[in-house]
Amino acid sequence: MKINSKYSLWGIILGFLFFLLFPFMTPYKALASQILIFAIFAIGYDILFGYTGLLSFGHAAFFGLGAYGTGLSLIHLSIPVPLGILIGVIISILIAFPMGYLSIRSRGIYFVMVTLAFAQLIYFIAFKWRALTGGDDGLQGVPRPALGPINLDSELVLYYFILFFFIVSVMLGIRIINSPFGKTLQCLRENEDRAKSIGYNTNRFKLISFVISAFFAGLAGGLYAVLQNFVPLLTLGLDISGDIVVITLIGGMGTLYGPIMGAMAIVFLKNLLSSYINIWPLILGLLFVVSVMTFRKGVFKELKEKFLKF
Amino acid sequence: MDFHFIFIQLFNGLILGSIYILLSLGLTVIFGTLGVVNFAHGAIYMLGAYAAYSIVTLLNINFFLAILICPIIVGIIGMLLERSLISKLYKFPHFYNLLLTFGMMFFIQDAIKIIYGPEGESFNIPQMLGGAVNLGFMIYPKYRLFVILITAFLALGVWLFIEKTKLGAIIRAGTDDSEMVDALGINISRTFTLVFGIGAALSGLAGVLSAPIQDVQPLMGMDILVETFVVVIVGGMGSIGGSVLAGLIIGELITLGVIFWPPIATSLMYILMVIILIARPRGFFGRAQFFE
Amino acid sequence: MIKRSLILTIVLIGVLFWVVCPAKAADTVKVGVISVLSGPLAVIGNGEKWSAEMAINDFGTVLGKKIEFVARDHAYNPGIANEKAKELYEKEKVDVIIACPNSAAALAVAQQALIHKKPFISTSAGTTDLIGKRCNRYVIKWNYNDYMLATTVGLWGAEHLGKRWYTITSDYAWGHDLLKHFTAALKKKGGIHVGNDMVALKTADYSPYILKAIKAKPDVLVLLNVGKDTTNSTKAAVEFGLKKTCKIVHALLFGPNIKGAGPEVFADDYCAMSWYWKVDNPGAREYADKYLKLHGDRPHFMAAAVYSATWQYLEAVKRAGTTDPEAVIKALEGHTFRDMFANPGYIRPEDHMQVAKAFLLRAKQPEEIKEDYDYFEIVGTVPAEEAYGKPGQFGCKMKGF
C-alpha cells in the first residue's frame, strides 16, 4: 500500500476529527465504543485472514478469553483497568500458542474446522465452569474503577479511553503489514508451497500471525468486558466467530481499513435494524451472499478501487 | 452393572447415530466431490422438516409419501442453489464457497422464520407408526425402529451407488481429478449439480425423519450443524465409510456419556474430535492431500 | 473529483449515523419493555409487550402527562439485552424498564438500572440472584422466581402426587437453580429424589433420559425445562409409556406448548403458576377477554405480570407525585395492592420481591376442554409465605440510593 503523502495527511486529519466526534453521531454513546471494539478485533482478524489467508472460525475464543480474563481480574483483584486489560490479552495469547500450534498442522478446509471445534470446546468449558465464569449467567458486575482523576463510569470518557487503544491498534496494524514480516505473510497467502521452497519456515509465520490476531481479539474482548460491565457467555460463541468473518469479508479483506468500515457498518446496522425490523438476519445474510459472490474483495474495498484511486 | 439396561440404551443410541449418519453422508459427499464445506447443510435439514410439516399437516398427505417427496423437493432446491450460486465460485479458493453457504444458512433460516413464524411447528408421529413393539429385550417405539431401518437401508444404498454404478464411478473420478473427467468429455458440472442435489436430499430426509421426534423450528439446523461437522471430521472428510462409522460411534458415545457421566455427555464428541485431530488429523478414513 | 467523492462519502456516513430527534418529550412518562420478540420464545415476549401497551392505554394519563411506550427485542441474548438497556435508559430516556425474560439478561439489565439510577421491574426472569446477591435498590422483582416455582410444585406435589421423584433438568443456570430449590422443598415434605439427569439445552432426543427414568421407577417425573425442551421431553415420555406409570410435573408449561403438541400429550400434567386467566381476581376476566379480542389467544401469566407491573408502576408514580426514581421506588416498597394479577400482592421492602399466593394447575384432558385456550384447571394453592420463603433469605443486602 503506497502511501501518497498528500492524501494520507488529509485523510488522517479528517479521520481523527471524525472519530473525535463519533460518539455524538451514534444513537447512544456506548454504541460508538462497541463499534471501535469490533474494529480492533477486525484489524487483528484481517491480519490472519486477509493477509495470511487463514480462515479461522474460532476467533470468538480469543475475544471471549480476553473478556473473561479482564473481567475476572477486575472483579477479584483491585487493579486499574489497563492492567486488567493487559491480563486479558496475556491470557488470550497464552491460549493462542497451543491452539494455533495444533490448528496449523491442518491446512485449508481442515484448519477452518479445527479452529471451530477448539472454540466450541472452550465454550463448553466456560459453560460448565460456573464457579469461575458464571456459566450462562455470564460474568456479572465487572467494575470500572477510576483511572486516577479519570472517571470511567461516563460512557463518553470510556469512549475516548477505547479510542486511544483503537488508534494504537491501527498504527500497530499498519506497522505489521508494511514490515518484512507482513510482506512474507502475503507471500505465504499467495502460494504457501513456493514460500516454503524459498526457505521460509511457513508454520512459524502462520503461528505468529495467529497469535497476533489473538492479541487484537483479546484486547477487543477486554475492552468489551469493561464497556458492558459484564461478560455474556455468548462472547465465546459461534455467533461472534461468524460475525467477525462477516465484518472482515464485507469490509474487504486484506486492507485493514476495510474491516474497520465493515465493523462500523455491521455493528451499527445490527443495532439499528434489530430495533425496527424483525428480518435483519435475512438482510445480513443477503448482504453477505452478495459480498461473497460479487464484491469478492468486500464492499468497501470494491468501492475504494472504483472511486478513490489511491 | 445392568447390562440389559446398557444394551437398551445402546440400541437407542442408534437413533442419534442414524440422524448423524444421514446428515454426515450428505455433507461428506458434497465435500468429497465438490470441495464445498456446506455450511447451509443444517438449514437444508430444517427445510426437509418444514417440507414434511407442510405436506403432511397442511396438505394432509400421507407421511410415507412425504418421505419420498420431501427429499426430492429439498434436492431440487439444493440443485438450484448449486446452479445459480455455488458453481460460480468453484474456480476460487474453497473457502469462498464455505462463506457463501454460511451466508445462505442465515438467509434460508430467516426466510423460513418469516414464512412460517418463529415459534416453530408441532409434528406428531404418524398414526401407523405410533405405539411400541415388543422386541423381546425391550418395548421399543415403532417409529424409532423405522428410522433405524431406513437409515441402514439408505447408507447401504448410497455406498452401492457410489461404488457400483457408472454415475458413482464418475463421481469418484471427479473427486480425484475433475479436470481430467471434463477432458474425457463427461459433463462434470452437471454431475456436480446432481451430487449437491443428492447431498441436500439426504439432509432433507434426515429432517423429515427427525420431525416427529423433535419439534420443527427454524433454528433446528444450527444446533445440529456443528455436531455434524464433528462427525465428518472424525470420520474423514470425503469418506462415506468414515461418515457411517463416525456417526455410529459418536451417537453411541453420547448415549454412553448420558449413562455414565452425564455432565459432559455432549462434550465427549468434542474431546474425541480433538484427540483425532492430534493423533490422526485426517479422521478415520480421510485421504491425504485432500482439498488442502 | 476524487476529493469530492471522499468528502461526500464521509459526510454521508456522518449523516447516516446522526439520529436527529430528541429522545423524549419532557412532559411525558416513558415506559420501556425489553423482551424476546423473535425466535421460538417470541410468544412470551409478544404477550408481555402487548400487555404493557394495554395497561398504558387503560391507565390513560398519569399526573396529567401522556404515557409513551417503547419496546426492544433482545432475542433472548444477554449481551443484546445489556445494549438495549443502555439504549433505552440513555437515548430513549425511559423512566422504567419492565419485563426481560432470561435470567442472565435480567441480571445485566439490573446492573444497568443501578448504573443509570432508574428502576427496572423484572417480571419474567427466574433467578433468585435478583433478590439475592445481585439485588439493588432500583430493581423490583415481580411475578415469580425459581424458588417459588420449584417450591410450590415440590411442596404441593410431595403431599398429593407421590413420594418418589425423578428429575430431568435443563443443563444451564436456570435449570440448576430450579433443581436446587426443588430438592430442598421435596426433602421438607419427606419425598425421595430417586435420580436426576442434566440435559443439554435444545436436545432433540430425550429417549436416553426417559429410559433412565423408567429404570428408576418414580411416582412423579419432574421436567425442569421450558419451551421446545418441555415438548420434546414430554413427547418422549409418552412414546416410551412412562406417562402410564407416573405423573408428570413441569417447571413451566405454557398454553402454546399444549396447543402445539396437542392436549393429549400434556393431559393430567401439573405445573405451578402465579396466575391463570380464569383466576378470580378483580379485572382478570376483563383483561383476558380484551386480550383474546385483540390478539386471538388467552394471556399467559408472564403477560399478566407485565400488565400488573406496568399498572402498579404508574400507580406508584401517581402516589409519589413524580417520576423521580427514588420516590417511586419508595412508593412501591412495602406496598400492598389488589389487581387482576395479585389479590392481594405485596412488595417486600427487604428484597423487593412482589409476592402473592401461587397456584397449582393440572392440564386438562382433551374432552374436558370446553372453551378455546382453556387448557388448565386450578387444583390447589400455596400461600405466599410458603411459596416465596422468608424475605431476604437469598442474602440481599439492600443498600441505600
Side-chain angles (χ1 to χ4, degrees):
Chain A
M1 174 169 108
K2 282 223 176 357
I3 300 182
N4 182 323
S5 56
K6 181 163 86 165
Y7 283 130
S8 144
L9 190 60
W10 187 215
I12 291 178
I13 293 178
L14 218 66
F16 192 64
L17 267 171
F18 175 76
F19 282 111
L20 275 181
L21 299 174
F22 194 39
F24 302 102
M25 296 196 269
T26 52
Y28 56 100
K29 304 193 182 61
L31 186 64
S33 299
Q34 205 176 328
I35 288 176
L36 286 190
I37 285 175
F38 275 94
I40 294 176
F41 190 0
I43 291 173
Y45 192 76
D46 196 28
I47 294 177
L48 182 69
F49 182 32
Y51 287 93
T52 318
L54 291 173
L55 175 60
S56 156
F57 246 90
H59 256 57
F62 303 114
F63 185 73
L65 282 169
Y68 275 105
T70 303
L72 284 169
S73 54
L74 285 177
I75 290 178
H76 295 294
L77 318 161
S78 306
I79 51 175
V81 173
L83 195 56
I85 293 179
L86 182 65
I87 292 180
V89 171
I90 290 178
I91 291 181
S92 174
I93 292 181
L94 282 177
I95 301 288
F97 270 108
M99 184 165 148
Y101 179 75
L102 288 171
S103 309
I104 282 165
R105 283 153 61 97
S106 318
R107 287 177 61 172
I109 292 297
Y110 294 92
F111 176 78
V112 181
M113 295 293 112
V114 170
T115 51
L116 191 151
F118 271 121
Q120 287 293 96
L121 198 58
I122 293 179
Y123 177 91
F124 268 112
I125 294 175
F127 179 70
K128 293 291 181 188
W129 202 348
R130 281 189 70 196
L132 183 69
T133 65
D136 55 287
D137 267 347
L139 195 66
Q140 301 281 349
V142 176
R144 280 193 214 168
L147 194 63
I150 308 175
N151 175 14
L152 289 172
D153 278 326
S154 149
E155 296 288 4
L156 190 61
V157 174
L158 185 68
Y159 170 80
Y160 290 116
F161 179 73
I162 295 177
L163 182 64
F164 167 73
F165 284 100
F166 174 69
I167 294 175
V168 167
S169 299
V170 172
M171 292 186 346
L172 213 63
I174 295 178
R175 203 66 196 76
I176 292 175
I177 290 311
N178 287 326
S179 68
F181 174 76
K183 299 278 189 253
T184 314
L185 290 181
Q186 292 174 71
C187 154
L188 216 148
R189 174 192 67 197
E190 295 307 319
N191 192 327
E192 184 174 343
D193 288 320
R194 197 182 300 159
K196 237 195 255 186
S197 65
I198 302 179
Y200 282 112
N201 183 345
T202 53
N203 277 349
R204 190 183 308 163
F205 277 89
K206 286 202 271 191
L207 181 61
I208 296 180
S209 173
F210 192 85
V211 174
I212 288 177
S213 69
F215 165 82
F216 283 93
L219 174 63
L223 291 169
Y224 187 76
V226 177
L227 172 68
Q228 298 282 52
N229 296 105
F230 100 106
V231 184
L233 180 65
L234 291 170
T235 45
L236 287 167
L238 190 55
D239 282 336
I240 298 273
S241 289
D243 275 349
I244 201 64
V245 176
V246 170
I247 287 175
T248 309
L249 190 86
I250 291 186
M253 30 188 273
T255 59
L256 280 194
Y257 64 83
I260 295 176
M261 311 217 79
M264 273 199 231
I266 301 290
V267 174
F268 181 73
L269 278 175
K270 251 196 187 185
N271 188 274
L272 184 73
L273 289 181
S274 67
S275 291
Y276 299 108
I277 312 176
N278 248 349
I279 63 170
W280 61 264
L282 191 81
I283 297 180
L284 202 68
L286 193 64
L287 207 70
F288 190 73
V289 167
V290 167
S291 282
V292 176
M293 293 300 303
T294 58
F295 302 127
R296 271 176 293 277
K297 306 176 196 114
V299 174
F300 289 101
K301 189 169 176 181
E302 188 81 16
L303 282 174
K304 172 221 170 187
E305 287 185 357
K306 270 213 176 121
F307 297 117
L308 309 168
K309 301 197 174 30
F310 65 84
Chain B
M1 252 310 93
D2 188 350
F3 286 114
H4 184 236
F5 174 67
I6 295 179
F7 181 71
I8 295 177
Q9 285 281 29
L10 285 179
F11 186 76
N12 190 55
L14 288 176
I15 288 283
L16 197 58
S18 297
I19 300 293
Y20 283 150
I21 288 176
L22 282 175
L23 281 170
S24 60
L25 269 179
L27 198 65
T28 215
V29 158
I30 291 176
F31 179 76
T33 318
L34 282 58
V36 173
V37 177
N38 184 17
F39 254 91
H41 211 63
I44 294 177
Y45 160 81
M46 180 267 293
L47 282 180
Y50 267 94
Y53 166 75
S54 310
I55 290 194
V56 173
T57 311
L58 297 179
L59 295 178
N60 237 317
I61 297 180
N62 182 303
F63 180 72
F64 292 101
L65 268 176
I67 292 186
L68 260 99
I69 302 178
C70 296
I72 295 179
I73 297 177
V74 174
I76 293 178
I77 295 178
M79 291 200 273
L80 285 170
L81 287 172
E82 195 273 350
R83 268 293 78 192
S84 56
L85 298 171
I86 297 177
S87 54
K88 307 271 189 300
L89 296 182
Y90 287 143
K91 52 186 188 275
F92 293 99
H94 290 296
F95 67 76
Y96 277 103
N97 260 323
L98 183 155
L99 293 170
L100 175 66
T101 54
F102 183 67
M104 284 194 324
M105 167 178 79
F106 284 116
F107 187 81
I108 295 175
Q109 276 173 180
D110 229 58
I112 291 289
K113 236 199 260 186
I114 292 174
I115 300 175
Y116 288 89
E119 283 131 31
E121 313 290 344
S122 253
F123 194 89
N124 287 324
I125 297 181
Q127 292 283 50
M128 209 183 312
L129 290 170
V133 67
N134 193 336
L135 292 177
F137 57 90
M138 69 180 289
I139 311 268
Y140 200 69
K142 258 193 239 174
Y143 183 74
R144 288 168 189 262
L145 210 57
F146 175 69
V147 171
I148 295 176
L149 288 171
I150 285 218
T151 307
F153 177 67
L154 257 148
L156 189 66
V158 171
W159 182 80
L160 281 172
F161 172 71
I162 297 281
E163 291 296 314
K164 305 287 181 199
T165 66
K166 185 163 151 225
L167 185 54
I170 296 176
I171 292 175
R172 268 183 291 135
T175 302
D176 275 337
D177 192 335
S178 59
E179 280 172 2
M180 182 56 97
V181 174
D182 216 13
L184 288 173
I186 299 173
N187 189 340
I188 199 69
S189 67
R190 204 158 358 127
T191 311
F192 279 5
T193 309
L194 190 63
V195 168
F196 195 85
I198 293 176
L202 282 169
S203 182
L205 178 64
V208 175
L209 291 174
S210 282
I213 300 183
Q214 59 163 316
D215 269 349
V216 173
Q217 43 122 354
L219 297 179
M220 65 194 276
M222 280 262 267
D223 307 327
I224 211 166
L225 181 69
V226 181
E227 296 169 22
T228 309
F229 276 132
V230 174
V231 171
V232 173
I233 291 177
V234 168
M237 301 196 82
S239 158
I240 294 177
S243 289
V244 174
L245 190 60
L248 279 173
I249 289 182
I250 290 183
E252 296 297 353
L253 194 66
I254 295 184
T255 306
L256 283 172
V258 167
I259 305 176
F260 290 112
W261 204 8
I264 64 161
T266 26
S267 322
L268 277 176
M269 67 162 26
Y270 291 102
I271 297 176
L272 174 67
M273 186 193 62
V274 170
I275 295 175
I276 295 279
L277 282 170
I278 298 177
R280 203 185 156 85
R282 296 194 178 85
F284 289 151
F285 302 127
R287 278 129 70 183
Q289 288 305 320
F290 197 60
F291 284 117
E292 293 175 356
Chain C
M1 183 60 199
I2 295 171
K3 237 190 277 186
R4 220 185 298 158
S5 328
L6 177 60
I7 297 177
L8 203 65
T9 317
I10 292 191
V11 169
L12 259 164
I13 293 177
V15 168
L16 191 72
F17 275 115
W18 193 37
V19 181
V20 179
C21 26
K24 178 179 96 115
D27 57 348
T28 62
V29 174
K30 200 160 183 181
V31 173
V33 159
I34 298 180
S35 190
V36 51
L37 301 174
S38 60
L41 294 171
V43 63
I44 296 181
N46 282 324
E48 296 178 338
K49 185 175 88 160
W50 295 327
S51 294
E53 284 173 322
M54 283 168 69
I56 290 173
N57 283 334
D58 291 344
F59 205 91
T61 60
V62 66
L63 301 180
K65 304 184 189 174
K66 236 180 48 138
I67 312 173
E68 277 184 70
F69 175 70
V70 63
R72 288 287 181 266
D73 177 20
H74 68 19
Y76 220 66
N77 177 320
I80 298 182
N82 202 37
E83 292 161 28
K84 297 301 175 193
K86 284 193 204 200
E87 186 195 336
L88 286 184
Y89 282 136
E90 195 185 313
K91 175 189 171 230
E92 297 289 333
K93 301 216 194 329
V94 300
D95 292 298
V96 65
I97 293 183
I98 303 183
C100 197
N102 183 316
S103 293
L107 286 169
V109 177
Q111 180 79 353
Q112 292 303 322
L114 180 63
I115 292 175
H116 288 88
K117 301 208 193 321
K118 284 191 181 169
F120 165 47
I121 304 184
S122 162
T123 59
S124 329
T127 175
T128 45
D129 279 355
L130 283 169
I131 54 172
K133 63 178 191 234
R134 301 218 68 88
C135 73
N136 72 62
R137 202 83 188 266
Y138 293 93
V139 174
I140 312 254
K141 181 91 193 69
W142 212 264
N143 189 10
Y144 81 108
N145 61 47
D146 295 338
Y147 178 86
M148 169 271 200
L149 274 185
T151 306
T152 306
V153 119
L155 290 179
W156 189 88
E159 235 185 277
H160 296 96
L161 295 178
K163 291 292 180 217
R164 295 171 60 85
W165 294 65
Y166 192 93
T167 50
I168 293 183
T169 311
S170 271
D171 190 9
Y172 68 123
W174 184 69
H176 288 252
D177 228 16
L178 281 172
L179 184 65
K180 185 173 71 178
H181 298 312
F182 180 78
T183 40
L186 193 64
K187 223 187 282 175
K188 242 193 253 179
K189 289 282 182 172
I192 313 167
H193 190 199
V194 296
N196 174 56
D197 276 314
M198 291 295 188
V199 182
L201 269 178
K202 305 207 209 140
T203 294
D205 188 6
Y206 273 81
S207 52
Y209 309 102
I210 297 291
L211 284 172
K212 277 177 99 178
I214 292 177
K215 183 161 182 269
K217 297 207 212 319
D219 296 321
V220 186
L221 174 69
V222 188
L223 297 174
L224 299 173
N225 49 32
V226 69
K228 288 295 172 195
D229 286 297
T230 301
T231 307
N232 288 341
S233 48
T234 315
K235 274 168 110 174
V238 171
E239 243 189 292
F240 282 85
L242 183 57
K243 204 160 145 124
K244 297 203 190 86
T245 56
C246 78
K247 299 253 180 286
I248 300 185
V249 163
H250 300 272
L252 276 180
L253 185 59
F254 288 100
N257 284 107
I258 299 183
K259 180 154 157 231
E264 329 75 58
V265 175
F266 292 101
D268 286 335
D269 288 1
Y270 293 87
C271 68
M273 282 193 207
S274 51
W275 182 91
Y276 180 56
W277 67 269
K278 279 183 131 172
V279 79
D280 190 17
N281 290 348
R285 236 339 163 69
E286 289 82 0
Y287 163 70
D289 288 339
K290 193 171 187 176
Y291 190 98
L292 177 68
K293 203 163 87 172
L294 288 173
H295 304 292
D297 195 359
R298 292 290 184 185
H300 46 66
F301 72 96
M302 302 282 202
V306 171
Y307 187 96
S308 164
T310 311
W311 187 276
Q312 293 306 326
Y313 170 79
L314 294 168
E315 284 281 355
V317 170
K318 206 158 97 176
R319 276 199 307 282
T322 167
T323 54
D324 173 59
E326 260 184 68
V328 176
I329 290 173
K330 287 207 183 114
L332 284 167
E333 286 172 340
H335 179 62
T336 306
F337 62 93
R338 287 176 190 275
D339 66 4
M340 37 61 75
F341 180 71
N343 188 23
Y346 167 68
I347 302 166
R348 309 200 294 214
E350 296 89 345
D351 54 9
H352 285 188
M353 181 77 227
Q354 174 263 318
V355 302
K357 68 170 176 266
F359 298 95
L360 263 308
L361 283 85
R362 179 185 66 88
K364 293 185 178 171
Q365 291 277 354
E367 54 274 9
E368 289 177 279
I369 299 177
K370 302 279 188 273
E371 254 188 279
D372 272 341
Y373 311 111
D374 183 18
Y375 297 117
F376 293 99
E377 183 196 6
I378 301 177
V379 293
T381 57
V382 173
E385 309 77 54
E386 275 188 66
Y388 288 90
K390 298 199 225 336
Q393 80 176 62
F394 298 103
C396 173
K397 303 266 187 291
M398 194 70 75
K399 303 190 193 82
F401 285 109

